[in-house]
Amino acid sequence: MANFNLILTILIPLLLGYSVVALLYREKLPFMERAALAWGFGIGLLGIEMYLLSIFGVKLNLRSILFPTVLLTGLLLAFVVAGKRTIFGLKSLPPFIKGLASPAKEMDWRFYLEKTLVLMIGLTIVYVFFDALVKPTIEFDAMWRQGTIAKIIFTTGQVTTEQARTVAGPHPYLNPLAQAWIYMGLGYWNDALGKIIFPLCFTSLLLIFYFRLRAQTSRLSALIFTFLLTSFPLIILHAGNAYSDLMQTFYYSAGAIYLLSWFKENKPAWLFSAALFFGIGNFVKQSGIPLWGASVVVLIVYLMFEKPKELKTALMGFALSLLISAPWLFSGNSFLSGMLSSLTAKLAPAATSGTPLAAGTAAAATAANPALNDLFYHLGRRMFSYADWQILWFVFIVASVLGFRLLWQSYLKYGCLLIVINLAMIIYSFCNPGSYQYLVDGTLVNRLMMYQVPFVLFYCAIIITESLAAPEPAVEAKKKAK
Amino acid sequence: MASDTIKVGKPFIMLYNPEIMLYRGLMTFLIVSCLTLPVLAEEINLPFQKNPAQNIIESPVMMIDSQANSTVILKIKASRPELARLYWVTSYDQRFDQLKSIWFSIKPGENNYYFNVASQNPYWIGWVRKLLVIPDGQGDYTVTGGTAGPGNLLTTIASGWQEFWGPKGRVQTGFSINVTHSSPIFNTSINVYCYWLIGLVFAWALLANLIRLKPRKLTELERPFLRATKAAFIAILAAWILLTINSDYNFANLFKINYQKYYGKSLEQKHAEAYGQDYYAFLKFAAQKLPKTPVYFALYSSIPSSDLAARLFLVPHVYAGDTSRKPDYLLVFFPTPDQLKQLQGLPVFARLDNNKYIVKGKK
């Protein structure tokens, strides 16, 4: 019975997501990619809906959430049906399976390699589901923060109780809300099953990564790099616990991948998908906002140098992400509100503080900022010599240097710019003595790094596959012709 | 038939060329010397003994020159697989601590364990005075033999091999949530070897293509560069796929652990397994005894981080530490002597046993 309830509980956000995808996409989209998008949009929008309901004083329970969700899904589906658009895209499923199962005509080793890769990726997905569902919530932050808030929401039907507000601090609520939704669907608190949202996000990330890469490269290349995406131990570990970092990785990386797809093809649906992912990402972790900000900066640079005519579409995309994240951006304890209030406090006259603190004393008490070379040393160790990112950052440098011409001549330079801005933000965030310790002990730096790792791999994958497929310059042919 | 073979192959005389013979002889001599000469050097016997009071296996106080004796070989007899640490103290620093230690995996049965200590730990310096082996578990372990010596090529390879498959980079700890070590060889991350491999492949491919294509103009350099780039990318993919399989092996082991620990159990049994049977029973007791309406509680316990499970399990009751309120109830689970002093005079609300009870009252 619990399994049946669990499936139904997952199907509801999935259906909501499907209706959004169907509304966004006029073009054909593979069923699996559609499902991955639907899960991301569905669970994110459901969480935001729950948050809004709670702000308006509605007590959260299965019935109070289902009613507006069904209404919203019905409304969206009505538009979809009226526009004669595809909802599930099931027709694409048999060719996809057939494509994986049928051997390539020219080479047999390719067929066996592809099958092995599919098997390995499949095993990792099974492992991640097993790891998440077999054990209760046992990790530190997941217990005292996300897990506790989720249980508070489930038992009290409120999001911002005194305890929840104190425990959450400036952190957004999508993770606990999504877990609470599972408990509500099950009808009882089950912290093991509540974690199903994370392996689902992980699987969706793999599918999005594969299908976006497949759109540009061969099936074998797409499978190899999707397999490499399963190689990051930190991502696999986080897919099995209840931290918010995997969700943030999913929303940010999926958003960045679709943004890069838009830079390549300028199909509005790619940009709107990116906008939705970034918007929902703002509701996952505090870091969602600066990541979104960096994407907006890159979008502006792209518009300035490449396609100023796309300004209208870009503005629509920006407005969509702003609309989605607005409930959190402008809420009392959000990161943005915190920043604005600290800015206001700085601008306000000193007398308002009421504390007779001499400026000199404050300056003397401030610890010195870490030296830049120390910072780079520790960051370099984390990036290059631990298993967390395997050899990704080295490959990023090698691919950018060796594939410089390709990079410079294509839309990929905007992907590179986005990665560099994010790295710069990470370096900046560790420049103050308060956060520097988290770089040295590795507690925060790896999780900040994780958000963009799938995107960095996607970027490297395109450069590597395009470089390997690039024809050699026809020097000999010219010589022969002469 | 044999003469045919010689005819189609190299000229017979080439096989017995004196220069080649000399070269081969020299190489064989060098390899054999590398392998055997250090073995002839004097080794120091390490007579380990089990300390019956603690689960510790220790050597007597000795004087081992760390520079001349870079390799320790231990023969350990174990009843079950376990993690263990090899500790040592030096004349510079007489304390046993984690800095001067090597973590390793023990296999069941009697096996040799090779440690090229100097390559694995920078604190193998000066005079080493004493060594300790401390297994993590309570199984039956004995060190049946031990030596310290200069080592040789084979022991160095064995040490690197065992280090690679050892616990660093494979065993999951609470800190793995933030950081995953990579498997080391001679205390250097396996990633670094991959970087060298990729770099060498690129350099070799560039050089080979430069020689083969003989570019004369700057524009003609593109061709060898492109080929070298492709070779480097193929090396990257090969190295990374191997690293992925290495990580997958670790996850397969983790799967086994979680399967044995949690699979097929009810949610209650899983919680008991995760929190500890005793503590879970106390939390259930507290959940039954505390009022039905949410109350503020605090936890007095000597068990580290025990508040984590209490906060989560006892919701909707509120952990007072999360708010500015004073607790209505104090949950007491194996308190420290200091905590007991603080609890004096407060009425016991409900008692599970002498170390597990609930105290009422604002504190």
Side-chain angles (χ1 to χ4, degrees):
Chain A
M1 190 61 189
N3 291 342
F4 181 70
N5 284 350
L6 184 66
I7 291 166
L8 277 183
T9 314
I10 292 165
L11 281 179
I12 286 157
L14 208 55
L15 197 64
L16 173 66
Y18 264 118
S19 57
V20 176
V21 178
L23 208 63
L24 273 183
Y25 284 86
R26 279 184 183 280
E27 50 275 277
K28 280 182 185 172
L29 204 62
F31 169 75
M32 305 279 260
E33 188 180 4
R34 213 172 259 270
L37 282 165
W39 172 252
F41 294 161
I43 195 70
L45 293 176
L46 187 81
I48 292 169
E49 180 199 311
M50 286 167 76
Y51 184 67
L52 282 173
L53 286 173
S54 174
I55 284 177
F56 291 125
V58 177
K59 192 171 178 182
L60 297 178
N61 55 45
L62 190 63
R63 203 176 295 172
S64 69
I65 301 165
L66 260 183
F67 180 68
T69 310
V70 171
L71 206 69
L72 182 66
T73 310
L75 198 70
L76 291 170
L77 285 176
F79 279 111
V80 169
V81 173
K84 291 180 181 171
R85 296 185 182 196
T86 315
I87 301 175
F88 297 111
L90 274 168
K91 280 180 187 169
S92 69
L93 196 55
F96 171 72
I97 294 166
K98 203 178 162 188
L100 285 178
S102 63
K105 279 166 193 166
E106 62 277 16
M107 278 182 256
D108 268 352
W109 65 267
R110 197 178 274 260
F111 167 68
Y112 290 112
L113 185 58
E114 282 177 1
K115 254 193 164 178
T116 311
L117 288 168
V118 171
L119 182 74
M120 297 291 278
I121 296 165
L123 280 175
T124 308
I125 292 172
V126 169
Y127 170 77
V128 161
F129 270 94
F130 174 82
D131 190 44
L133 303 184
V134 80
K135 59 181 199 273
T137 306
I138 49 171
E139 286 83 10
F140 193 83
D141 282 4
M143 284 178 96
W144 80 269
R145 181 175 279 152
Q146 292 94 353
T148 300
I149 301 171
K151 199 173 173 191
I152 292 169
I153 295 168
F154 171 64
T155 49
T156 65
Q158 293 173 310
V159 178
T160 52
T161 63
E162 186 194 0
Q163 189 191 14
R165 266 205 309 272
T166 319
V167 171
H171 301 281
Y173 291 91
L174 183 59
N175 172 358
L177 279 164
Q179 287 190 71
W181 164 251
I182 302 289
Y183 305 154
M184 285 171 191
L186 291 171
Y188 64 99
W189 176 65
N190 186 329
D191 51 345
L193 292 185
K195 285 189 278 143
I196 195 164
I197 51 173
F198 306 104
L200 282 170
C201 285
F202 175 76
T203 311
S204 301
L205 178 63
L206 290 186
L207 288 172
I208 287 170
F209 185 93
Y210 171 79
F211 281 104
R212 287 295 83 229
L213 201 56
R214 179 73 184 92
Q216 304 189 41
T217 64
S218 69
R219 191 167 61 208
L220 180 63
S221 301
L223 280 172
I224 287 175
F225 284 97
T226 310
F227 173 61
L228 294 185
L229 181 57
T230 67
S231 75
F232 303 116
L234 205 68
I235 293 184
I236 304 285
L237 283 172
H238 276 265
N241 67 39
Y243 277 48
S244 299
D245 299 278
L246 190 275
M247 268 188 135
Q248 183 69 76
T249 304
F250 167 55
Y251 281 107
Y252 174 71
S253 289
I257 287 170
Y258 280 105
L259 184 65
L260 200 66
S261 300
W262 185 72
F263 288 155
K264 184 172 185 274
E265 291 180 48
N266 289 138
K267 286 181 185 171
W270 303 146
L271 184 68
F272 296 149
S273 297
L276 273 169
F277 278 124
F278 287 138
I280 297 168
N282 287 344
F283 198 48
V284 179
K285 281 203 86 170
Q286 289 186 81
S287 33
I289 298 173
L291 290 168
W292 174 53
S295 313
V296 172
V297 168
V298 175
L299 182 66
I300 293 168
V301 175
Y302 174 81
L303 289 172
M304 278 167 62
F305 291 101
E306 302 278 336
K307 294 272 170 69
K309 284 181 186 174
E310 294 289 342
L311 181 66
K312 196 181 157 192
T313 319
L315 280 175
M316 281 166 70
F318 176 72
L320 183 64
S321 59
L322 190 66
L323 183 75
I324 294 295
S325 45
W328 173 249
L329 283 182
F330 301 108
S331 81
N333 54 338
S334 84
F335 171 72
L336 199 67
S337 304
M339 266 176 64
L340 287 175
S341 60
S342 73
L343 195 70
T344 322
K346 275 180 191 170
L347 292 173
T352 53
S353 70
T355 319
L357 185 70
T361 324
T366 311
N369 283 341
L372 210 58
N373 56 343
D374 285 343
L375 203 146
F376 278 117
Y377 166 74
H378 287 292
L379 191 66
R381 274 186 61 220
R382 297 287 165 206
M383 287 167 82
F384 298 109
S385 67
Y386 281 78
D388 296 305
W389 315 126
Q390 305 288 14
I391 53 172
L392 175 77
W393 292 106
F394 174 79
V395 175
F396 167 69
I397 294 168
V398 171
S400 301
V401 172
L402 298 183
F404 183 73
R405 184 186 283 182
L406 172 72
L407 186 69
W408 191 247
Q409 289 170 350
S410 71
Y411 66 99
L412 287 169
K413 57 180 168 283
Y414 298 102
C416 186
L417 181 66
L418 187 56
I419 295 165
V420 171
I421 291 177
N422 284 340
L423 280 176
M425 285 199 302
I426 289 174
I427 292 166
Y428 177 74
S429 68
F430 288 113
C431 276
N432 75 69
S435 58
Y436 180 65
Q437 58 169 314
Y438 302 121
L439 167 66
V440 176
D441 65 19
T443 48
L444 187 60
V445 63
N446 276 335
R447 284 194 260 154
L448 287 181
M449 204 75 88
M450 183 161 96
Y451 309 144
Q452 65 162 339
V453 156
F455 177 65
V456 179
L457 179 63
F458 185 80
Y459 160 90
C460 293
I462 295 174
I463 293 184
I464 291 175
T465 48
E466 298 226 345
S467 299
L468 286 175
E472 288 192 359
V475 178
E476 280 179 12
K478 275 182 187 172
K479 275 182 186 174
K480 278 177 190 172
K482 278 178 187 175
Chain B
M1 197 64 190
S3 59
D4 286 350
T5 315
I6 290 168
K7 274 177 194 170
V8 293
K10 287 176 182 173
F12 184 76
I13 192 73
M14 279 295 285
L15 296 173
Y16 292 95
N17 184 321
E19 280 177 21
I20 291 173
M21 290 293 287
L22 185 67
Y23 172 75
R24 282 182 182 171
L26 266 172
M27 288 308 290
T28 314
F29 175 74
L30 268 173
I31 291 167
V32 170
S33 305
C34 284
L35 287 172
T36 56
L37 276 182
V39 178
L40 300 176
E42 199 178 340
E43 284 182 336
I44 300 165
N45 191 35
L46 302 171
F48 276 90
Q49 280 197 326
K50 196 161 191 170
N51 183 333
Q54 298 156 299
N55 193 22
I56 288 175
I57 305 160
E58 58 188 1
S59 76
V61 176
M62 307 173 86
M63 288 292 274
I64 303 169
D65 180 356
S66 61
Q67 209 170 5
N69 301 285
S70 60
T71 303
V72 171
I73 303 170
L74 301 177
K75 195 169 205 169
I76 300 176
K77 196 173 177 182
S79 59
R80 61 179 194 196
E82 197 60 74
L83 293 177
R85 268 184 194 271
L86 170 70
Y87 289 88
W88 62 91
V89 286
T90 65
S91 47
Y92 297 127
D93 186 355
Q94 305 271 347
R95 291 166 304 173
F96 285 105
D97 56 24
Q98 292 200 359
L99 278 178
K100 298 192 297 303
S101 75
I102 292 174
W103 209 15
F104 68 103
S105 306
I106 296 179
K107 288 181 282 183
E110 194 168 18
N111 294 290
N112 281 326
Y113 298 89
Y114 300 89
F115 306 92
N116 190 303
V117 194
S119 74
Q120 290 188 36
N121 191 303
Y123 295 99
W124 184 259
I125 44 171
W127 291 96
V128 175
R129 302 298 309 278
K130 188 173 176 154
L131 292 110
L132 281 186
V133 175
I134 306 181
D136 255 12
Q138 296 297 318
D140 192 18
Y141 308 97
T142 40
V143 178
T144 52
T147 56
N152 56 48
L153 189 65
L154 290 179
T155 57
T156 306
I157 291 170
S159 164
W161 177 259
Q162 286 181 348
E163 190 188 353
F164 178 73
W165 294 105
K168 194 178 177 187
R170 299 199 183 275
V171 172
Q172 199 188 12
T173 64
F175 206 64
S176 302
I177 206 71
N178 300 307
V179 169
T180 318
H181 286 279
S182 67
S183 301
I185 298 177
F186 307 126
N187 207 27
T188 303
S189 161
I190 187 74
N191 292 6
V192 177
Y193 296 96
C194 291
Y195 302 148
W196 275 104
L197 175 85
I198 295 160
L200 287 172
V201 166
F202 178 77
W204 176 81
L206 187 64
L207 198 69
N209 281 297
L210 283 172
I211 293 166
R212 191 184 301 164
L213 299 170
K214 296 184 183 70
R216 285 173 191 171
K217 285 185 249 166
L218 202 63
T219 49
E220 287 176 9
L221 277 172
E222 195 185 350
R223 208 172 159 85
F225 180 78
L226 206 69
R227 286 188 183 180
T229 301
K230 285 183 181 181
F233 284 154
I234 289 165
I236 281 172
L237 289 179
W240 204 337
I241 285 171
L242 289 177
L243 288 175
T244 310
I245 293 167
N246 184 40
S247 290
D248 286 349
Y249 168 75
N250 295 345
F251 283 115
N253 285 332
L254 210 57
F255 170 82
K256 265 191 245 168
I257 294 167
N258 281 333
Y259 184 85
Q260 284 163 359
K261 205 170 175 184
Y262 295 111
Y263 186 73
K265 292 183 177 170
S266 68
L267 188 64
E268 278 211 353
Q269 289 169 324
K270 285 177 183 183
H271 280 134
E273 188 67 54
Y275 305 161
Q277 298 280 352
D278 235 17
Y279 190 46
Y280 180 64
F282 176 65
L283 288 179
K284 269 180 74 179
F285 167 76
Q288 280 168 6
K289 296 292 174 185
L290 288 175
K292 296 295 160 210
T293 50
V295 294
Y296 290 84
F297 72 91
L299 185 77
Y300 278 39
S301 175
S302 55
I303 315 287
S305 305
S306 49
D307 61 296
L308 291 175
R311 282 171 203 246
L312 177 61
F313 192 79
L314 294 176
V315 169
H317 301 302
V318 181
Y319 184 68
D322 290 342
T323 65
S324 52
R325 307 282 182 93
K326 285 186 175 174
D328 301 313
Y329 295 89
L330 304 172
L331 311 188
V332 185
F333 184 79
F334 290 100
T336 62
D338 275 355
Q339 287 169 341
L340 272 176
K341 271 185 206 166
Q342 291 174 41
L343 289 166
Q344 269 175 3
L346 290 173
V348 173
F349 170 70
R351 189 188 293 274
L352 188 63
D353 66 37
N354 283 341
N355 288 314
K356 305 160 203 165
Y357 50 94
I358 303 170
V359 170
K360 194 171 185 321
K362 302 271 182 186
K363 183 79 181 153

